[in-house]
Amino acid sequence: MEHEIIVGLDIGTTKIAAIVGKRNDTGKIEILGLGNTESLGVRRGVISNIDQTVHSIEQALKEAGQQSQIDIKTVNVGIAGQHIRSMTRQGNMIRRDPQVEITAEEIDLLTQSMYNIQMAPGDEIISVIPQKYKIDNESGITDPRGQLGHQVEANFHVISGQRSAALNIKKCVEKAGYHVDNIILEPLASAESVLTDDELEAGVALVDIGGGTTDIAVYYDRTIYHTAVIPYGGDVITEDIKTGCSILKKHAESLKLKFGSAVASENRKEEVVTIPGLSGRSPKEITLYNLASIIQARMEEIIEMVYHEIRQTNLEKRLTGGIVLTGGGALLKHIKQLTEFKTGLETRIGFPDANLASSSMKEVASPMYSTGIGLVMIGSNRMDESKIKLDPTDAKTRLPKEKGTGKGFGKIKDLIVNFLGEDIK
């Protein structure tokens, strides 16, 4: 069976990663190429310099294309940033004939009606994801298709963002010479690549710590309940080290990556690292304990913000799956211990390797590429569903279905950001 080539483009604050892959016959993602360049035109997940971002996108996609020997034309790109908001809204419809089975078209129309919610000027609804349905007096229904009833109600997770942010992403990709296939919310892409079916059912909070933002997605009973973006990530820790130790930013970043720890008590006060002095000045000595103290102070602040978002769901005591940390920030030493201490929730580091074919490049099996791999996975799912809907051999296959995330939490226009004024392909 032939599988289409999919390209995921993760436009982050510190890096732009392009991942070329395809789904093999066992359902795993085979990575064919990786392009990774420094991101120069993005600040806290939002494009701030078009020309610099275009250049970085060109470099990343060129490198990925050469490595995979694929002529890249279209990409699935992620969107995040502090402008992302989420809320829960209810919708309902009265059916003409309660003795006729509820169809997928009716559910799709109910979902589409939520896109008419009035938003603040400049904001648009990014995605509407059904949570639970109620048919007449029967609640807690996950899939109402085929059932009978007079009134259908549903709770929806509604995600909104600034229209200009998506338009700028599209503009940058097109100026680089490529076409945007789908724009996908990044925390949901990361969740797709690192969360397990058991975690989604038991309840789990996905926390993606990037360079400029920390993205959150909370699931319970295979349903998404909350998404949020915190405007702090690894970059602010680097800035803290730079200021606290009076050193250059490049040295601060190097110290964080090589010697950084999220728990100061795990370091001895006599352990010292020496960095070059500025302009011929004497080398500077920094204790690893002081370095970790600076990192811990900022990480505690970020974790407290994350836990505040989790508490907004009133599910913090029911998340048996605890917290899954991913993104480049999840590679910080002792971050798991600090997260468990501050939240009381069991925590693990999320790697995307469980979804990767054994033939894939080993370097992509890292938390820093979770979003990019998730973009490839969702892009592949979308393409497969499009083929099913176009199959004329079975009328039933042409009806809207739950999106094939393979994890039970994608429905109708799930995970796909479609507020560019175009139809999803």
Side-chain angles (χ1 to χ4, degrees), residues 279-300:
S279 300
R281 295 178 176 85
S282 300
K284 193 177 186 69
E285 291 187 346
I286 297 170
T287 69
L288 296 188
Y289 180 85
N290 287 341
L291 175 66
S293 296
I294 294 171
I295 295 173
Q296 180 175 342
R298 181 62 76 172
M299 276 310 311
E300 286 181 347

Side-chain angles (χ1 to χ4, degrees), residues 201-244:
E201 182 176 346
V204 65
L206 184 283
V207 179
D208 186 336
I209 307 173
T213 63
T214 296
D215 305 335
I216 304 164
V218 180
Y219 298 90
Y220 182 75
D221 194 20
R222 297 183 177 274
T223 301
I224 184 163
Y225 276 86
H226 187 60
T227 51
V229 178
I230 296 171
Y232 296 105
D235 268 7
V236 73
I237 297 174
T238 302
E239 287 294 332
D240 288 346
I241 297 170
K242 172 189 170 184
T243 302

Side-chain angles (χ1 to χ4, degrees), residues 23 27 129 188-189 191-193 195 197 200 219 222 355 374 377-382 384-385 401-416:
R23 195 179 296 275
I129 307 173
L188 301 182
E192 177 75 1
S193 68
L195 297 184
D197 288 335
L200 290 166
Y219 298 90
R222 297 183 177 274
N355 293 296
M377 294 174 69
I378 293 174
S380 176
N381 294 336
R382 290 292 304 174
D384 289 345
E385 288 155 9
K401 294 184 177 182
E402 289 190 3
K403 298 309 178 190
T405 60
K407 295 178 179 175
F409 57 82
K411 296 184 177 79
I412 303 175
K413 287 190 176 177
D414 71 339
L415 315 184
I416 304 302

Side-chain angles (χ1 to χ4, degrees), residues 44 46 79-89 117-129 156-163 165 185-188 213-217 224-232 309 312 417 419:
R44 292 186 176 178
V46 177
I79 186 171
Q82 61 193 89
H83 61 95
I84 299 296
R85 300 286 184 272
S86 70
M87 53 190 165
T88 299
R89 291 291 183 268
I117 295 174
Q118 190 68 30
M119 304 300 297
D123 284 0
E124 285 201 29
I125 293 176
I126 294 173
S127 188
V128 175
I129 307 173
F156 294 94
H157 183 68
V158 180
I159 303 170
S160 66
Q162 292 176 1
R163 179 179 175 84
L185 193 63
E186 288 189 358
L188 301 182
T213 63
T214 296
D215 305 335
I216 304 164
I224 184 163
Y225 276 86
H226 187 60
T227 51
V229 178
I230 296 171
Y232 296 105
E309 294 293 342
Q312 300 302 302
V417 177
F419 60 138

Side-chain angles (χ1 to χ4, degrees), residues 122-304:
D123 284 0
E124 285 201 29
I125 293 176
I126 294 173
S127 188
V128 175
I129 307 173
Q131 294 176 327
K132 297 290 184 180
Y133 295 90
K134 180 180 180 181
I135 301 177
D136 295 336
N137 294 319
E138 188 69 30
S139 59
I141 297 170
T142 57
D143 187 356
R145 292 173 299 177
Q147 300 195 39
L148 306 178
H150 178 65
Q151 177 172 295
V152 180
E153 301 174 70
N155 288 332
F156 294 94
H157 183 68
V158 180
I159 303 170
S160 66
Q162 292 176 1
R163 179 179 175 84
S164 60
L167 291 175
N168 283 333
I169 289 174
K170 185 169 184 261
K171 180 179 180 179
C172 287
V173 173
E174 290 179 344
K175 285 189 71 173
Y178 303 90
H179 173 72
V180 176
D181 196 8
N182 293 300
I183 297 184
I184 301 165
L185 193 63
E186 288 189 358
L188 301 182
S190 299
E192 177 75 1
S193 68
V194 302
L195 297 184
T196 67
D197 288 335
D198 288 344
E199 287 171 332
L200 290 166
E201 182 176 346
V204 65
L206 184 283
V207 179
D208 186 336
I209 307 173
T213 63
T214 296
D215 305 335
I216 304 164
V218 180
Y219 298 90
Y220 182 75
D221 194 20
R222 297 183 177 274
T223 301
I224 184 163
Y225 276 86
H226 187 60
T227 51
V229 178
I230 296 171
Y232 296 105
D235 268 7
V236 73
I237 297 174
T238 302
E239 287 294 332
D240 288 346
I241 297 170
K242 172 189 170 184
T243 302
C245 298
S246 300
I247 57 178
L248 296 175
K249 184 175 181 179
K250 63 179 180 180
H251 292 152
E253 180 69 14
S254 180
L255 281 176
K256 182 183 74 174
L257 295 177
K258 293 180 181 179
F259 304 104
S261 166
V263 180
S265 60
E266 293 289 336
N267 298 270
R268 295 197 301 271
K269 294 184 179 181
E270 61 270 21
E271 290 181 304
V272 176
V273 61
T274 302
I275 63 171
L278 181 63
S279 300
R281 295 178 176 85
S282 300
K284 193 177 186 69
E285 291 187 346
I286 297 170
T287 69
L288 296 188
Y289 180 85
N290 287 341
L291 175 66
S293 296
I294 294 171
I295 295 173
Q296 180 175 342
R298 181 62 76 172
M299 276 310 311
E300 286 181 347
E301 181 183 2
I302 292 174
I303 293 170
E304 285 170 2

Side-chain angles (χ1 to χ4, degrees), residues 13-73:
T13 301
T14 56
K15 75 176 189 311
I16 292 182
I19 297 178
V20 182
K22 66 177 181 178
R23 195 179 296 275
N24 65 19
D25 291 337
T26 65
K28 300 287 187 178
I29 297 295
E30 181 180 353
I31 303 301
L32 307 175
L34 168 67
N36 192 355
T37 62
E38 183 181 3
S39 180
L40 300 175
V42 182
R43 179 175 172 79
R44 292 186 176 178
V46 177
I47 292 171
S48 59
N49 186 301
I50 295 290
D51 291 338
Q52 288 181 333
T53 304
V54 169
H55 179 70
S56 295
I57 289 173
E58 288 174 339
Q59 293 296 109
L61 287 171
K62 180 181 178 182
E63 182 181 341
Q66 290 175 343
Q67 195 172 90
S68 62
Q69 297 184 339
I70 297 295
D71 182 19
I72 298 173
K73 297 185 184 299

